[in-house]
């Protein structure tokens, strides 16, 4: 499928998705989100892809949902149509690893989209924020829920309640656990692609199980989470990749995973 608002490029087993509305700082219009959703759903089912990378431009990962699109909508419009809900679920539902490479602004829905990915690698110039309050609304794609889970209540409250007066820079974002690492702005994509390549050489079913298990930690209590992990750990013994991985260790060679 030909996309208008995103670019896709497959490199080995990694799919790079670049949000591509640079003049609007990658404002996340319904059309853009529909394309992103399609690309992610397709990649999730594609045997030749093991890992996804989501990025924007140097100036903006994404400056939020498209305010021009939202401006004319009434309560009845958004409630009855369940405004853009389905388009926003693909990334958080993706079963394969998704890395967010964030340079510049990740605001509102842009910050929320980055948080739906499995981890965020940030450029030194990254700025995270939830400025919806300045528009007379509140975050609508998980900002009030994921942000406090990742950075704690005080910082999340400050960001959600102060909006554009409380953006978070990359350094603070790393310190409080919102991002896994900060890299020099010009090195961001090379670093993220190298990371994605390392992941993509591992066993895809193991990656999917590992991801599912970590995500479970945010949904259930510790005892249930550990029980869930145990069941998936046992399941991993049914894979051919488990035989290969353990044999390779004992034979002192690199594993050649078949993703089975
Ligand atoms: N929407 C539409 N256009 C935007 C935009 C946005 N979010 N952000 C920037 N642009 C456009 C600007 O209008 C401008 O267009 P032209 O005037 O050139 O035509 C162009 O991008 C460049 O922006 P600026 O001229 O403003 O650039 P600056 O460098 O001066 O400022 C900025 C950069 C990022 C600080 C500023 O653009 C800004 O404050 N942008 C708005 C940030 C914001 O408020 N974001 C939150 C939007 S609300 C949901 C899912 C998601 C959401 C809700 C529900 N469901 C699933 C239900 C999400 C809501 C939001 O994100």
């Amino acid at each position: 499928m030909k996309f208008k608002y995103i670019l896709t490029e497959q490199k080995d087993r990694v799919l790079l998705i670049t949000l591509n509305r640079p003049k609007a700082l990658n404002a996340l219009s319904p059309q853009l989100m529909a394309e992103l959703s399609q690309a992610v759903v397709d990649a999730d089912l594609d045997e030749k892809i093991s890992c996804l990378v989501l990025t924007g431009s140097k100036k903006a990962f994404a400056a939020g949902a498209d305010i021009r699109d939202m401006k004319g909508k009434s309560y009845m419009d958004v409630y009855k149509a369940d405004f853009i809900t389905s388009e926003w679920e693909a990334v958080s539902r993706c079963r394969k690893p998704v890395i967010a490479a964030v340079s510049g602004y990740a605001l509102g829905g842009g910050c929320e989209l980055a948080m739906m990915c499995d981890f965020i690698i940030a450029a030194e110039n990254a700025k995270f924020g939830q400025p919806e309050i300045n528009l007379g609304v509140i975050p609508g794609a998980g900002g009030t829920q994921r942000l406090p889970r990742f950075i704690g209540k005080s910082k999340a409250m400050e960001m959600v309640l102060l909006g554009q007066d409380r953006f978070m820079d990359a350094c603070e974002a790393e310190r409080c656990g919102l991002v896994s690492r900060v890299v020099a702005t010009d090195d961001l994509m090379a670093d993220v692609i190298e990371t994605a390549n390392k992941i993509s050489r591992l066993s895809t079913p193991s990656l999917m199980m590992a991801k599912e298990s970590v995500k479970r930690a945010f949904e259930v209590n510790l005892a249930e989470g550990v029980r869930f992990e145990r069941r998936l750990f046992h399941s991993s013994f049914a894979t051919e990749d488990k035989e290969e991985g353990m044999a390779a260790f004992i034979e002192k060679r690199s594993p050649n995973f078949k993703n089975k």
Side-chain angles (χ1 to χ4, degrees):
M1 180 178 168
K2 195 97 183 84
F3 296 121
K4 188 169 172 201
Y5 298 112
I6 62 169
L7 304 171
T8 57
E9 186 185 356
Q10 192 177 338
K11 296 179 179 175
D12 298 317
R13 296 187 59 81
V14 174
L15 182 72
L16 173 63
I17 303 177
T18 306
L19 307 175
N20 190 34
R21 287 187 75 201
K23 285 191 188 136
L25 304 185
N26 292 327
L28 302 165
S29 62
Q31 298 90 321
L32 185 154
M33 289 308 294
E35 291 185 7
L36 175 62
S37 176
Q38 185 66 57
V40 170
V41 168
D42 290 348
D44 217 11
L45 294 173
D46 189 336
E47 290 276 349
K48 294 187 217 66
I49 293 170
S50 294
C51 184
L52 289 73
V53 172
L54 181 56
T55 195
S57 67
K58 202 176 216 179
K59 179 166 177 183
F61 175 76
D66 192 318
I67 300 167
R68 285 192 172 79
D69 173 74
M70 290 187 288
K71 182 174 177 305
K73 293 193 190 302
S74 69
Y75 167 71
M76 270 303 138
D77 293 333
V78 297
Y79 180 73
K80 280 198 198 154
D82 204 8
F83 175 62
I84 56 174
T85 298
S86 58
E87 286 95 332
W88 279 77
E89 292 185 336
V91 172
S92 56
R93 283 191 182 159
C94 183
R95 298 175 70 206
K96 292 174 181 167
V98 187
I99 308 173
V102 173
S103 180
Y105 294 111
L107 303 180
C111 185
E112 294 171 314
L113 182 61
M115 288 191 289
M116 288 177 198
C117 298
D118 297 310
F119 59 95
I120 302 172
I121 300 181
E124 277 169 342
N125 73 341
K127 281 211 176 346
F128 299 88
Q130 297 287 163
E132 291 89 341
I133 204 85
N134 299 95
L135 302 169
V137 294
I138 72 166
T144 66
Q145 302 303 304
R146 289 193 178 92
L147 199 57
R149 281 171 169 80
F150 298 161
I151 69 173
K153 177 185 161 192
S154 279
K155 281 180 187 285
M157 276 290 190
E158 219 182 18
M159 288 173 74
V160 168
L161 298 181
L162 278 164
Q164 65 192 18
D165 286 322
R166 180 60 169 103
F167 289 170
M168 180 179 274
D169 66 23
C171 189
E172 185 182 4
E174 182 182 29
R175 207 166 57 233
C176 66
L178 181 58
V179 311
S180 64
R181 282 185 299 118
V182 179
V183 300
T185 303
D186 288 335
D187 297 340
L188 178 69
M189 290 321 295
D191 190 301
V192 174
I193 295 293
E194 190 188 336
T195 303
N197 272 326
K198 283 182 189 160
I199 290 174
S200 73
R201 285 193 282 271
L202 301 169
S203 157
T204 309
S206 307
L207 292 168
M208 291 164 77
M209 287 184 203
K211 166 171 173 164
E212 191 177 0
S213 196
V214 174
K215 283 183 77 175
R216 198 73 170 186
F218 291 94
E219 309 288 346
V220 299
N221 66 34
L222 183 62
E224 281 308 314
V226 170
R227 186 197 301 271
F228 183 81
E229 178 194 73
R230 191 66 32 84
R231 293 292 165 251
L232 282 182
F233 171 76
H234 289 158
S235 309
S236 69
F237 277 53
T239 64
E240 289 178 25
D241 288 344
K242 172 257 174 187
E243 299 304 328
E244 169 62 9
M246 294 195 180
F249 175 80
I250 289 171
E251 292 160 21
K252 300 189 188 300
R253 60 174 174 82
S254 300
N256 180 18
F257 291 123
K258 296 278 188 330
N259 304 316
K260 287 182 183 167

